[in-house]
Structure formats: C-alpha cells, structure tokens
Amino acid sequence: MATDASVTIVGPAVLGGAEVLTPDALAFVADLHRRFAAGRDRILADRVRRRAEIAGTGRLDFLPDTADVRAADWRVAPAPADLCDRRVEITGPTDRKMTINALNSGAQVWLADFEDASAPIWANVVGGQLNLTDAIERRIEFTSAEGKQYRLTGDPLPAIVVRPRGWHLDERHLLVDGAPAVGALVDFGLYFFHNARRLIAAGSGPYFYLPKLEGHREARLWNDVFRHAQQALGIPTGTIRATVLIETITAAFEMDEILFELREHASGLNAGRWDYLFSIIKTFRDAGSGFVLPDRNSVTMTAPMMRSYTDLLVATCHRRGAVAMGGMAAFIPNRHEPETTRAALAKVRADKEREAGDGFDGSWVAHPDLVAVCREVFDVVLGDRPNQVDRQRDDVKVTADDLLDIAATPGTVTEAGLRNNIAVGLRYVEAWLRGTGAVAIFNLMEDAATAEIARSQVWQWVRAGTVLDTDVVVTVDLVRGLIAEEIAALRAELGADRFAASRYEVAREVFEEVALGASYVDFLTLPAYQLLDD
C-alpha cells in the first residue's frame, strides 16, 4: 500500500508511535476517511434534523417504510466460535495495566474501549493500539511504580471486541488533507490494519462494538466501511463481526433494521442502559415536564420503559439468531470496605439474575472482582449451553407507547440527586481532562455516559423549572451556587497545592457550559476535547 504525504500527525510524540503510525497504516486510515467522512457528516446533519422533528411532536414510532424488513424471515450470519459464549464481558480502557487485568479476569470477552471509558489524549489513542497488538501477540507486560509486575496468565484469552469512538468525534491529532480525521475510522482503521490477520491466525477475528448509532442508516455506513476494509486488505467479507449498542431511543425503534443492514457482519445487540437514559433526556430535553426523569440513581431497569426496551432487544435478537447482551451495573467493589463490597455484589447479582431470567445471553461487568458473580448467575440459566438464543420471546409485544412511557418511571427529583449530579459531573470532567475516562466515584464506575446523564438532567431540570423534594425550583442561580459549594469542598478536601495542580477550575467551566448553557451541547466531550492535556 502506498504511503500518503497528505496525512499529518499534529499530536505529540508518544510511546508506540513508530509501531502504530506506520506509513501504510496511515494511508489505510486516510483512505477510509476520504471514502466515508462525507457519509459521516450527512449522518450528523440528519441527527440534528431528526431531533428537531421529534422535539416538535414529542413522538417516535416504528418506521413505516421498513415494515417489510421487520415482517420478513431472515437471520444474521452465524457467530464465530469465540463469540458464541459471551456470558461474561468485562469492559474497560486500553491502558497497559487494564488490558492485562481484563485479559486475566476469566471473562469470555474483553470490550477494549476507545470510547466512553477512554479520554482521547494522543497517548491513549496510540498507546491503546500498541497494547492491543502486544496482547494479541501475548508479549504485553507492565510494571507499576510500586514495582508490581503484570503479565498474561490466561489460556485461552478472552475474545477482544474493540469499541471505537462514536461517529460524532474527530481526531484532532491526525489530519487528512488538512482536516481532522474521523475518530471512529482512526480507531477502527488502525486496529483492523495491524491486527486483522494476526487475529485470524490465532483462531479469532476482528470484532467490534458499535456505539451511539441512532438508526439503521448509520449501521449501513459501518457495513460499507467493513466491506471496503476487508476488500482493501484481501480479507473475506464477513470476517468482521459487530455488536451494536442500542443506547439511543431512536435506535430502539430500529433494532430489526440495524441487524438487517449489518446481517453479514452482525453478531448481536447490547442494552447500553446508561447512554440510553442519556439519549432519552437529550432527545426530549425541551418537551415539557412529562419527559423529566427522576434522580438518575433511582432510575432502575425495572422501570416500565426500561423493561420494554430490554424485552424488545432480547426478542429481536433471538428472532434473528443474534446474541442479546445485558448492560453494565455501575456498582463496583471496594476491597478496603467489606460492607460496601457486600452491598455492591448483592446489587450486581440481582441485576444479572434479572437479565439472565429475561433471556439475555450474557452481560457486562466493569471490575475483575465481578466476573465470578456474573458467571455464576448465567451458569445457572445456561448450564453447558453457550447461550439461549433458541429462547424465543414470543410473549413480548412492545409498542411505541411502551418505549416512551417516561412518565411512569417511579422516583422523584431531589436536592440530594441534584447535588450528586453536580459532584459526579465535576469529578468526572476533571479526570477526563487529565486523560482518564473510567473513574470510580462514590463506589460507582462512572464513564462519559453516566456523566452525560448527570449534566443533561441538570440542564433539563433548569429548563423545565423542576421542583425538588425541598419545594425549591431548580434555577441557573441555584445550580451555580451548588457548584460553588462543591468546588469549595473539593478545595478543602485536596488542600491548596493539590487543588491548584488539578483541573477543577477548567472542569467547572466545562460543566457550567454543558449543564447551564443557553444552547444544549450534544456531547460534553466536544468542548472538553479542546481542553485535553496532551
């Protein structure tokens, strides 16, 4: 493959650059960008137009022009051997230590995350790619600052499923013809170019999770990318396998269509619960008080609209021969607090029992200590079977009204919930600005999706004039005052020197922009990206 002089790296020199950013790899990424960036741009424009239409009516429905796809009898391609049993998937960023810990966890699958659990500083983007190749070659090692050594111990290793960034993000450190490359194509392209043949030789394949799709036309673009990439490298069409996260309210109405568009590459759908809640708030943010959700931590998967969403996902997947993957429980154990750990394990077990009982074929965990809990639950239901795709949920009859029954969600909006949203938002954005995308905050694993819920609720509560449990109306002035209180508490907790060395003042500016701005910012990572430390 010829090199491409019109590709410019404007990011700093980082570890792994020579191995990852080779001329041929960059030319491959540039080719993807030139072929598919315009399609990506149309998708982003369509999102804005469609959101405006939905906001004007407060309604969504299943698409009339694709009714034949929903009614027809078809199935996705059979899953490869190492994606048949996915009862436990561990998620996390691709830094070196986390890579080793995830691959040693005993899970069937590792979701190697370049998206919500990763902050895209250039060292993370490039270093993550190096770590993946080193892991596939089984040569990855890491020594901590304390001298603790980490190396791979498992055999076989979990299947690796890479989650590239969503369509909305660019990669400002890599320019193609003078413009920032599409972040999703950078993540996909570098991984596929360097590792597709390695994975096939090892008996696996290039597998991906596709995030934040809002409809089947976005899935069609990914399918076009897959076809071209395989053809360009001489790899048989269908070698790639993709699992789509159903984490937007619009995608929930197009599950059949999304699987149909990707049917030669699809392996399943995932119930991305946290982004799904974010999408509901974002989509109906100015539709009135009937679309206001209670405190984020009180919205559980047993709420009517969430039950409808997950039941429909399982029924759709199994009808089409695809696996249905459950979502991530945010609770994490704390080895220094036994009581906290016991409570977390009990909540995770209950969450996984519900999913396994509903027909899911596996689920996510965010911490190695939770792998055994998830496996035990799914072992009871699955036994020696790799999955329960043969369990057809013919009892599921979900309507548009069921998916949109937001008002039936139990719970209230409280001062404690507002304060928690502010505290989590500030802490997460500060960590993200320093290059960390998955952060343990108040014994919960927070990533960009959960931070998006926190700031979006604040924005919506202000616009809706929501009344708290204290009979106080949520206003811009109230929120600014609570932010000031939280910053003062952080300054006292950290001390003057540590606070000055932190990025909390910048995080405050970002949070106020995305939670209180007159115009709603689609993703908090967009303004924050321009302020990253790299």
Side-chain angles (χ1 to χ4, degrees):
M1 185 174 291
T3 58
D4 194 327
S6 60
V7 179
T8 307
I9 300 170
V10 296
V14 293
L15 184 66
E19 296 90 342
V20 173
L21 304 173
T22 64
D24 284 353
L26 293 176
F28 180 73
V29 170
D31 177 56
L32 293 177
H33 177 87
R34 293 189 182 107
R35 289 176 182 272
F36 301 109
R40 189 286 303 261
D41 293 344
R42 286 192 292 273
I43 279 171
L44 297 185
D46 285 345
R47 286 181 178 181
V48 174
R49 175 191 54 77
R50 190 178 187 192
R51 214 296 296 188
E53 292 174 354
I54 295 167
T57 63
R59 290 293 303 169
L60 266 169
D61 209 337
F62 298 95
L63 301 178
D65 57 345
T66 55
D68 56 334
V69 172
R70 296 193 297 277
D73 185 14
W74 53 267
R75 292 169 70 86
V76 301
D82 57 344
L83 285 185
C84 288
D85 186 337
R86 302 172 63 172
R87 66 189 68 196
V88 187
E89 298 191 347
I90 189 167
T91 74
T94 56
D95 64 86
R96 211 157 179 86
K97 177 183 172 182
M98 292 294 292
T99 295
I100 296 170
N101 284 344
L103 292 174
N104 286 340
S105 68
Q108 279 72 29
V109 169
W110 172 42
L111 187 157
D113 198 6
F114 286 97
E115 206 230 1
D116 276 355
S118 181
I121 62 173
W122 192 227
N124 287 348
V125 172
V126 177
Q129 295 285 346
L130 177 67
N131 295 338
L132 287 167
T133 298
D134 284 351
I136 293 165
E137 295 286 349
R138 296 191 68 101
R139 64 189 179 213
I140 188 169
E141 295 183 350
F142 176 74
T143 302
S144 70
E146 297 76 26
K148 184 176 180 180
Q149 295 185 329
Y150 298 79
R151 56 176 56 90
L152 296 179
T153 58
D155 189 21
L157 296 175
I160 298 173
V161 182
V162 169
R163 178 161 68 167
R165 280 168 282 184
W167 282 131
H168 60 288
L169 290 168
D170 287 334
E171 178 47 72
R172 63 184 172 90
H173 304 98
L174 181 62
L175 307 182
V176 178
D177 303 326
V182 176
L185 298 178
V186 172
D187 298 337
F188 164 80
L190 290 175
Y191 180 71
F192 186 77
F193 181 86
H194 286 297
N195 299 302
R197 290 191 179 89
R198 284 185 166 104
L199 289 160
I200 294 166
S204 187
Y207 307 145
F208 298 90
Y209 257 110
L210 304 181
K212 293 182 175 57
L213 300 192
E214 296 195 8
H216 69 284
R217 292 179 180 83
E218 300 189 15
R220 183 183 302 163
L221 180 60
W222 267 118
N223 202 64
D224 291 343
V225 171
F226 293 161
R227 283 182 172 178
H228 173 73
Q230 289 164 134
Q231 182 180 22
L233 296 190
I235 290 171
T237 298
T239 301
I240 290 172
R241 283 292 189 274
T243 306
V244 177
L245 291 124
I246 301 300
E247 52 187 0
T248 64
I249 183 64
T250 50
F253 285 84
E254 300 182 38
M255 295 188 207
D256 273 307
E257 294 90 332
I258 287 169
L259 285 175
F260 183 78
E261 294 290 346
L262 285 160
R263 60 194 180 279
E264 61 190 343
H265 297 113
S267 61
L269 302 177
N270 171 277
R273 60 180 71 173
W274 306 118
D275 262 307
Y276 189 73
L277 288 173
F278 163 46
S279 172
I280 289 173
I281 300 167
K282 176 181 178 178
T283 302
F284 298 108
R285 61 184 180 265
D286 46 13
S289 59
F291 292 88
V292 171
L293 286 169
D295 292 355
R296 69 187 186 106
N297 290 333
S298 70
V299 181
T300 70
M301 298 305 292
T302 61
M305 67 173 186
M306 301 304 283
R307 294 290 290 164
S308 297
Y309 151 63
T310 54
D311 282 347
L312 181 60
L313 189 148
V314 171
T316 303
C317 282
H318 288 184
R319 183 184 177 202
R320 305 306 183 184
V323 296
M325 298 305 303
M328 185 180 74
F331 307 104
I332 55 175
N334 186 328
R335 294 170 182 173
H336 303 293
E337 298 180 12
E339 194 59 41
T340 298
T341 295
R342 278 192 290 273
L345 293 177
K347 290 176 180 177
V348 170
R349 182 177 295 277
D351 182 66
K352 304 313 174 189
E353 287 175 344
R354 175 191 51 76
E355 289 180 328
D358 285 349
F360 280 96
D361 302 291
S363 192
W364 282 10
V365 298
H367 193 284
D369 288 354
L370 301 177
V371 169
V373 175
C374 188
R375 183 190 298 111
E376 289 169 9
V377 170
F378 277 89
D379 282 351
V380 169
V381 173
L382 297 179
D384 294 331
R385 296 177 299 158
N387 53 60
Q388 53 183 332
V389 172
D390 59 346
R391 180 183 170 190
Q392 300 293 297
R393 289 293 308 274
D394 295 330
D395 59 305
V396 173
K397 309 295 180 186
V398 173
T399 67
D401 287 340
D402 294 329
L403 291 172
L404 296 174
D405 193 9
I406 297 167
T409 305
T412 57
V413 180
T414 70
E415 180 183 326
L418 176 59
R419 288 181 179 274
N420 180 263
N421 280 346
I422 292 168
V424 168
L426 289 170
R427 284 166 171 78
Y428 181 80
V429 172
E430 196 275 339
W432 197 89
L433 290 170
R434 289 186 287 103
T436 301
V439 189
I441 304 174
F442 308 142
N443 293 311
L444 295 175
M445 183 60 72
E446 307 284 2
D447 64 8
T450 54
E452 290 282 24
I453 298 172
R455 68 92 180 187
S456 295
Q457 283 200 314
V458 174
W459 195 96
Q460 186 185 37
W461 292 345
V462 168
R463 293 311 174 283
T466 301
V467 180
L468 299 174
D469 60 333
T470 55
D471 292 328
V472 173
V473 177
V474 182
T475 64
V476 169
D477 288 343
L478 173 67
V479 174
R480 287 193 191 280
L482 294 177
I483 291 173
E485 288 182 21
E486 186 64 28
I487 289 292
L490 286 164
R491 185 182 288 108
E493 175 187 330
L494 296 174
D497 292 342
R498 287 179 61 199
F499 184 86
S502 75
R503 303 212 67 194
Y504 273 113
E505 289 296 354
V506 180
R508 176 183 188 164
E509 294 175 10
V510 172
F511 186 78
E512 290 189 352
E513 176 182 355
V514 299
L516 296 176
S519 298
Y520 182 86
V521 179
D522 279 343
F523 296 95
L524 69 83
T525 49
L526 294 176
Y529 187 39
Q530 306 307 315
L531 303 169
L532 268 177
D533 269 346
D534 61 352

